[in-house]
Amino acid sequence: MTLHKEERPDAADDGPEIKPWHGSELLQDLHALRALPNPQRRGYKLEELLERMFRQAHFHATRNPRMAGPRQTDLAVVSHNHRYLVEAKWKNYPAGTNDIDAVRSRLRDHDGTVVGLLFTMAGITEPADKRITDLRRDGLVLVFDEVDILLALRDPQELDRLLRLKHDELVVRGRVHRGEKEREAEKAARSSGQKAGKLPTSRYRLLNGSGDTVPWFYGAGGFSPGVFCLDLPDVDWVPAAGSGVCLDMPVTAWGQPGLLRLLDALNELGWMGERSQWSIQQHGRNWHGCGADGFAEALRNWEERTSELEDPHHSEEFVYFEVCDGGFYTVSGSISAEETRHVMRCNVSFQLIGIPLDPGSLQQLYRQCDVPSRGYFRPLVERSVTRDRFDGRIPLQVLGYIIEPADQRWDEEDWVVGLLAANPFYGTDLQPPDDLASDLDRTGVIVCNLRSYHPLSKPQERYELWSYERARTSDAHALRIVAEWWESEDNDEQRPAVGRARAGYFTDQVREVSVQGPLLA
């Protein structure tokens, strides 16, 4: 299998790279300090650098405060809801238990709400690590090693995230979060091929033209930010005035294991259900499916999925769609189609009715996903969902069914709720609506929601396009295409076979359309 004409991406790096020091004034000054031979003088200069860093992050910082008197402390830092005592060290060897005890002795003079911060360019010893965790109930000490310091100096806005992360790790998990140690753990996780936990299974079942259950559909196509969905909530459909809001979470997922851990986090925090849809796009082929577990399986089976492609691209795009409380969200990004499975980008984009009165669940998601930026709600400047009818009666060549199984229904009968159909606008003279052109011009198959459901035991004779709904998140399009079925008006008319158009019903052209996906392991 050869890659598409564009160059192959470089192999994934061993860990997150710190941008060059000349990209940040603070990093530039830190680079200059490395030349100082005197450790004590380096430490004093590091204090000044940290004071500037905290102020740029909008913390109130005071050097040599009386907060820890009579003992001297390098910095006292106050945020809107936390107080910190900061010690900075730049020795030629790691900080030990004596250094930890020195910080803790300053904390004893306070009411327990003050947290100690130890910035040490040489890291800490393992006994010092153990001392922090064993005595954490008597006072918290958070450690910033060289990796953490470089990240914070590069972007002081990272401080708030790092402080929350280190606090939660120590209080909840009883472990000291250190940048270098976490980077090594990330490398080990990427190389171990660790699988995600159990993700929700779709309430729907996919049937191909032969009536067999398949894990996903696929057909001809190219790269597109679109994903088909059976339900598209309208966040503007509320009696109150105003508009909906959006929220983006750019997630750092260095490889496929990181992407699968993101799905785990969304599931653990209750952001996943049984009605999700997803799509994966490659050069010449698209895959469409339902359920978070099916999406994870498709990601893992990338080699099997792409093995038949003659000219695959070096990467593939993905979009995952999920309905949630107050709206919906998409997970979209790009991942390399080779062994590294390097994730070039990944973004979680919400559209909600408004700003939640209690945003705690979203804040927890930010923490769990370790989002490297501050989150902001942005008002939508136009309606979230646009809708319209298709012009004329456009028949569909049915290739498969989406079934709501009997065990999910009160009447204990399988019902058809959606279709897989050949895209009537792909490779034909028919023109799609202008606002769907960028999506429907690049896929050989479409997934439709039925306007009127019917039992699987009573297949209908004619299906046609009815209407469509479309919503755009920051980097994805959610499409709900609605089809309707019609009973025969001519008793002599034959019912078209599933997956094959009868003469005069649909002008078929040569194109790749298939629903024979690989079986689930």
Side-chain angles (χ1 to χ4, degrees):
M1 181 178 73
T2 60
L3 287 174
H4 192 44
K5 294 179 180 178
E6 297 186 22
E7 295 181 358
R8 295 167 59 99
D10 294 334
D13 296 328
D14 287 340
E17 288 292 328
I18 304 300
K19 292 182 179 179
W21 58 265
H22 52 75
S24 161
E25 182 180 348
L26 293 175
L27 279 180
Q28 182 178 357
D29 292 345
L30 181 72
H31 179 74
L33 295 183
R34 294 182 186 275
L36 296 178
N38 188 322
Q40 187 175 16
R41 181 169 173 77
R42 283 201 310 260
Y44 289 147
K45 291 296 183 181
L46 180 60
E47 294 173 20
E48 298 175 359
L49 204 58
L50 294 178
E51 181 182 9
R52 290 166 52 197
M53 176 190 69
F54 276 107
R55 288 179 176 173
Q56 288 186 24
H58 309 298
F59 289 75
H60 182 269
T62 305
R63 296 189 66 197
N64 299 324
R66 297 182 178 180
M67 186 176 177
R71 305 174 182 87
Q72 180 176 319
T73 301
D74 296 341
L75 285 173
V77 175
V78 179
S79 68
H80 65 288
N81 55 1
H82 291 97
R83 293 182 296 163
Y84 302 100
L85 288 178
V86 180
E87 288 285 323
K89 297 189 178 297
W90 196 340
K91 300 178 180 179
N92 297 325
Y93 51 86
T97 54
N98 290 337
D99 298 298
I100 303 302
D101 292 339
V103 176
R104 291 178 49 77
S105 67
R106 290 161 171 78
L107 298 178
R108 294 194 189 101
D109 298 328
H110 298 278
D111 57 3
T113 62
V114 180
V115 176
L117 304 182
L118 176 61
F119 287 78
T120 167
M121 290 291 288
I124 62 173
T125 63
E126 290 303 322
D129 186 302
K130 188 174 185 302
R131 182 70 60 89
I132 293 174
T133 56
D134 289 348
L135 301 179
R136 64 185 184 277
R137 291 180 177 83
D138 299 326
L140 300 179
V141 179
L142 310 181
V143 177
F144 285 72
D145 63 10
E146 182 176 6
V147 171
D148 297 318
I149 294 172
L150 290 175
L151 285 173
L153 291 178
R154 183 190 68 183
D155 181 8
Q157 304 306 320
E158 284 281 286
L159 265 176
D160 192 51
R161 180 186 69 88
L162 287 171
L163 287 169
R164 292 197 315 265
L165 179 61
K166 291 175 180 294
H167 183 276
D168 290 349
E169 284 291 306
L170 185 57
V171 173
V172 178
R173 297 180 176 85
R175 56 187 294 269
V176 177
H177 181 282
R178 290 183 272 161
E180 181 62 31
K181 194 173 182 179
E182 296 303 315
R183 188 163 66 176
E184 293 299 322
E186 179 70 21
K187 286 168 54 180
R190 293 204 305 270
S191 61
S192 67
Q194 180 180 0
K195 291 187 176 181
K198 178 64 176 176
L199 296 172
T201 300
S202 175
R203 69 180 291 114
Y204 304 119
R205 193 169 77 246
L206 308 181
L207 302 183
N208 64 13
S210 302
D212 300 323
T213 300
V214 293
W216 49 72
F217 298 134
Y218 66 78
F223 293 104
S224 165
V227 59
F228 296 108
C229 56
L230 301 182
D231 181 24
L232 183 54
D234 189 344
V235 299
D236 297 311
W237 195 258
V238 293
S243 62
V245 297
C246 61
L247 174 68
D248 286 309
M249 297 183 180
V251 178
T252 301
W254 298 104
Q256 182 169 287
L259 180 56
L260 296 177
R261 285 196 294 274
L262 167 62
L263 300 181
D264 262 346
L266 288 166
N267 183 42
E268 290 172 1
L269 296 174
W271 289 101
M272 282 187 168
E274 301 175 339
R275 300 178 184 271
S276 60
Q277 284 85 48
W278 54 267
S279 69
I280 299 176
Q281 302 97 31
Q282 246 287 357
H283 174 63
R285 183 170 289 184
N286 296 160
W287 293 264
H288 308 279
C290 299
D293 61 341
F295 179 53
E297 190 68 21
L299 289 173
R300 294 192 190 99
N301 287 2
W302 68 273
E303 288 183 289
E304 186 175 353
R305 282 191 295 104
T306 59
S307 61
E308 299 177 358
L309 301 182
E310 295 181 358
D311 192 21
H313 196 266
H314 62 62
S315 65
E316 50 189 21
E317 307 285 320
F318 60 85
V319 183
Y320 175 88
F321 174 88
E322 182 75 79
V323 176
C324 64
D325 290 340
F328 62 89
Y329 69 88
T330 59
V331 180
S332 58
S334 177
I335 185 170
S336 65
E338 58 177 358
E339 291 184 2
T340 62
R341 294 298 275 169
H342 179 56
V343 176
M344 278 71 80
R345 61 177 178 85
C346 182
N347 186 56
V348 183
S349 185
F350 285 86
Q351 285 200 11
L352 304 171
I353 293 173
I355 300 175
L357 184 62
D358 180 7
S361 58
L362 290 169
Q363 292 174 350
Q364 183 62 28
L365 183 60
Y366 249 79
R367 292 188 180 191
Q368 187 82 2
C369 297
D370 196 17
V371 179
S373 67
R374 294 187 175 184
Y376 297 93
F377 289 100
R378 298 278 295 172
L380 299 174
V381 297
E382 57 187 16
R383 292 194 64 86
S384 171
V385 177
T386 58
R387 53 179 58 85
D388 205 345
R389 288 282 301 273
F390 285 101
D391 293 333
R393 300 183 64 175
I394 304 175
L396 292 174
Q397 176 190 355
V398 179
L399 303 170
Y401 291 128
I402 301 176
I403 305 301
E404 189 170 35
D407 57 8
Q408 301 282 354
R409 298 181 56 85
W410 61 271
D411 55 4
E412 298 183 352
E413 185 173 6
D414 292 341
W415 280 69
V416 180
V417 300
L419 306 171
L420 178 77
N423 180 3
F425 306 105
Y426 185 76
T428 71
D429 294 332
L430 286 177
Q431 296 298 315
D434 291 341
D435 49 348
L436 296 184
S438 62
D439 299 302
L440 297 188
D441 284 347
R442 302 176 186 177
T443 177
V445 296
I446 56 176
V447 178
C448 304
N449 181 213
L450 280 186
R451 182 169 178 259
S452 305
Y453 300 169
H454 65 78
L456 179 62
S457 60
K458 299 177 181 179
Q460 301 304 310
E461 301 176 352
R462 183 181 179 89
Y463 297 90
E464 296 178 354
L465 290 177
W466 180 265
S467 65
Y468 64 88
E469 298 175 348
R470 182 178 185 268
R472 182 173 63 88
T473 60
S474 295
D475 42 17
H477 300 163
L479 307 174
R480 178 176 177 255
I481 297 180
V482 180
E484 182 62 289
W485 51 268
W486 306 90
E487 295 180 346
S488 174
E489 298 176 358
D490 184 357
N491 292 332
D492 296 330
E493 188 177 29
Q494 295 181 357
R495 177 179 300 149
V498 174
R500 183 178 67 252
R502 73 186 188 293
Y505 178 71
F506 186 87
T507 303
D508 195 1
Q509 297 192 6
V510 176
R511 58 173 163 261
E512 176 198 10
V513 175
S514 175
V515 291
Q516 297 294 334
L519 295 179
L520 283 171

